[in-house]
Amino acid sequence: NGVVTGEAAELATAVPGLDAIFSGHSHQVVNGTVNGVPIVQGYYNGRAISKVKVVYDKTGEQFAVLTEVDELYKRVADLPIDADTAAIVEKYTTELEPILGEVIGEATVAYPHERDKPVTEMGQLTSKMMTEITGTDIAIINGGGIRAGLDAGEVTMGDMYTLFPFDNTVVTLELKGSDLKRVIEHGIA
């Protein structure tokens, strides 16, 4: 709605003398002002770029802070392809195809993962597999660590890297029931 809220807004109110704030991690396009402090955020994963320009007069006195968020994702078709970068991507795509294209299994049904839902089919499958592998009673995974769902059909190593691109490690531990309840409530919140 154009109103900037959250930790960046609280910072702008609590700390005097700020010229501008680059915020992040909430995956929003932000370009607004709180308490006279411009706040910007460039969406996420390179889909937009936040810009802040601090302008000074000839005496060196600051007189303006100009902000902009260039929403690149809205004009992808118009963005030029950098030939050097495209060559690097093509080199590694070709080199890794035998590994990423290797079929390692089959999914008889689809396992969607809509990241705005607290529980997903992909999350449930992942947790079930973790309990089987570790021999634990339950498994909990951060849904943000799962980056995609899985379509029915062949499953490749490339699919696995798309699903789980981070170098996370499975850890087992014992928890009291009250601690487990707190962890689950925190995760759902």
Side-chain angles (χ1 to χ4, degrees), residues 56-70:
Y56 296 88
D57 65 18
K58 291 181 180 185
T59 67
E61 293 293 318
Q62 177 183 326
F63 71 92
V65 178
L66 309 173
T67 63
E68 175 187 354
V69 177
D70 186 351

Side-chain angles (χ1 to χ4, degrees), residues 31-93:
N31 187 7
T33 303
V34 172
N35 196 33
V37 179
I39 302 173
V40 293
Q41 182 176 156
Y43 208 25
Y44 68 101
N45 294 344
R47 286 173 171 79
I49 297 174
S50 300
K51 300 177 183 180
V52 172
K53 181 190 278 186
V54 181
V55 183
Y56 296 88
D57 65 18
K58 291 181 180 185
T59 67
E61 293 293 318
Q62 177 183 326
F63 71 92
V65 178
L66 309 173
T67 63
E68 175 187 354
V69 177
D70 186 351
E71 298 177 84
L72 300 172
Y73 71 97
K74 290 183 177 179
R75 53 187 183 86
V76 170
D78 300 330
L79 297 175
I81 295 173
D82 179 80
D84 292 336
T85 303
I88 292 168
V89 170
E90 179 59 33
K91 173 186 179 273
Y92 285 108
T93 299

Side-chain angles (χ1 to χ4, degrees), residues 41-188:
Q41 182 176 156
Y43 208 25
Y44 68 101
N45 294 344
R47 286 173 171 79
I49 297 174
S50 300
K51 300 177 183 180
V52 172
K53 181 190 278 186
V54 181
V55 183
Y56 296 88
D57 65 18
K58 291 181 180 185
T59 67
E61 293 293 318
Q62 177 183 326
F63 71 92
V65 178
L66 309 173
T67 63
E68 175 187 354
V69 177
D70 186 351
E71 298 177 84
L72 300 172
Y73 71 97
K74 290 183 177 179
R75 53 187 183 86
V76 170
D78 300 330
L79 297 175
I81 295 173
D82 179 80
D84 292 336
T85 303
I88 292 168
V89 170
E90 179 59 33
K91 173 186 179 273
Y92 285 108
T93 299
T94 301
E95 186 177 316
L96 294 172
E97 178 53 35
I99 297 167
L100 299 179
E102 179 186 355
V103 176
I104 59 170
E106 183 175 344
T108 56
V109 298
Y111 294 93
H113 186 65
E114 298 170 52
R115 292 177 56 202
D116 60 337
K117 294 184 177 179
V119 178
T120 69
E121 286 89 340
M122 191 68 232
Q124 289 176 339
L125 175 65
T126 302
S127 294
K128 180 180 180 195
M129 292 169 60
M130 288 168 49
T131 61
E132 291 174 4
I133 290 167
T134 60
T136 58
D137 294 325
I138 65 164
I140 299 173
I141 185 167
N142 171 4
I146 303 171
R147 302 311 265 195
L150 192 60
D151 293 330
E154 290 184 340
V155 178
T156 65
M157 278 303 296
D159 293 327
M160 298 309 294
Y161 282 111
T162 299
L163 291 167
F164 308 110
F166 307 110
D167 291 330
N168 292 332
T169 303
V170 176
V171 176
T172 61
L173 55 108
E174 290 187 24
L175 288 175
K176 295 186 300 184
S178 59
D179 291 333
L180 179 59
K181 181 178 184 277
R182 195 176 77 243
V183 166
I184 292 171
E185 287 174 346
H186 176 77
I188 291 175

